[in-house]
Every structure is written in structure tokens, then in C-alpha cells.
Amino acid sequence: MDKKEKYTALYKEAQGLVSGENDLIANLANITALIKDRFGFFWIGFYLVKDSQLVLGPFQGPVACTRIAHGKGVCGTSWAQAKALIVADVHEFPGHIACSAMSKSEIVLPVFYGKEVYMVLDIDSDELATFDKVDEVGLSMLCELISENLPTWN
Ligand code: SME
């Protein structure tokens, strides 16, 4: 299976996983576990917008920073710009927040509730330049699946 096919399979599995369950945290937790299991990335997690900050949500991987300000780090920038960011070398990203010294590259995608960013999906790799457009498209589909379901999750 190439990477694109892996993302198509991941999407279908995620769809099955969340259908019939409306608990937000349970679904986000299982989605991070699913990505970890299928792709093995170093760190996968959600940061949720709460009181004008990003607050750590369900994740897989080592302990991480709990709060990120608007516009700070890769996550806070993705939130502020409401767009996906791919960082080939985190040390080249001004203001990158290093939760782990092992982290070398990163992708962050916004998850929308209507027009507002409700959370971001953050994935870190312990290798340089891990993420490309295929990851962005595959993970965007997953973020859209979450967005579509958010109104019915609590
Ligand atoms: N590196 C992120 C912080 C979160 S950790 O990677 C889990 C950033 O710069 O926003």
C-alpha cells in the first residue's frame, strides 16, 4: 500500500470508529491511537481552543506542552492562519515550541466548527521532512470527518 492508499484506509477505519459514538474525547482519543497504529509517528495529538488558548487534548506519545498561545509555535500559527502547515525542519521554524528534543519535523492542521478553528491536529516526526502534500490531503480528509461530526459530539 502506498501512502495515499494508507490514508484512504485510515479514513474508512476512522469513519467506522466514530460512527455510533458521540463523545468528543473518546473519538479524538481513538483517532490518535488509530494514526499511531497505522503510521507510527513520534507524537500525534489534538490541541483544543479554550479561552483563547490551545489546550492539550487526547494524544499518543511522550508528555507534551499543555497550553499554546494564539499565533505561537507551529500549532498556534496554524490556528491563527486557519490553515495547514508542514514544517520540514522544526529548528528552521521561528518560534517553534519544542515539547521534545526528538521532534524534527511536523504537520499541523486546523479542524473547523463552521468557520471557526475548534482544534488543531498536530503530528510530530523524529525524522526530518517526513510530511508532504499526500499527508496534508490525507489528514485534511480526517479533519473534515471530525468537522462534519462535531455538531453532534459533546
Ligand atoms: N511543536 C508544537 C508544540 C506542540 S508539540 O509538538 C506536541 C508547536 O510548535 O506548536
Side-chain angles (χ1 to χ4, degrees):
M1 246 199 275
D2 67 18
K3 194 157 71 166
K4 200 174 160 209
E5 290 166 336
K6 275 176 80 178
Y7 278 113
T8 304
L10 181 84
Y11 181 85
K12 287 187 186 141
E13 284 185 284
Q15 249 182 340
L17 204 55
V18 302
S19 73
E21 177 52 65
N22 68 354
D23 188 274
L24 172 68
I25 298 302
N27 285 333
L28 297 183
N30 257 342
I31 288 169
T32 61
L34 186 65
I35 301 170
K36 180 73 176 171
D37 190 63
R38 298 298 183 267
F39 285 86
F41 298 129
F42 176 68
W43 195 92
I44 301 128
F46 291 96
Y47 279 93
L48 288 95
V49 175
K50 289 182 187 175
D51 300 329
S52 10
Q53 282 188 320
L54 290 173
V55 181
L56 183 63
F59 70 96
Q60 293 269 316
V63 293
C65 331
T66 51
R67 288 173 189 270
I68 297 173
H70 189 252
K72 299 292 178 193
V74 188
C75 292
T77 305
S78 168
W79 173 26
Q81 296 181 357
K83 66 171 198 186
L85 294 175
I86 293 173
V87 180
D89 181 351
V90 294
H91 297 110
E92 306 269 300
F93 188 92
H96 166 255
I97 300 164
C99 293
S100 164
M102 301 272 290
S103 194
K104 294 203 175 83
S105 59
E106 186 163 354
I107 184 168
V108 181
L109 305 102
V111 178
F112 294 91
Y113 190 118
K115 286 185 178 159
E116 298 293 311
V117 177
Y118 193 84
M119 68 184 104
V120 298
L121 169 60
D122 178 21
I123 304 183
D124 288 20
S125 167
D126 55 7
E127 289 170 20
L128 289 167
T130 294
F131 306 103
D132 57 22
K133 204 69 195 169
V134 175
D135 298 281
E136 184 183 330
V137 170
L139 293 166
S140 293
M141 281 173 53
L142 198 59
C143 291
E144 275 164 34
L145 174 69
I146 298 170
S147 286
E148 286 161 12
N149 282 286
L150 269 182
T152 62
W153 290 356
N154 46 54

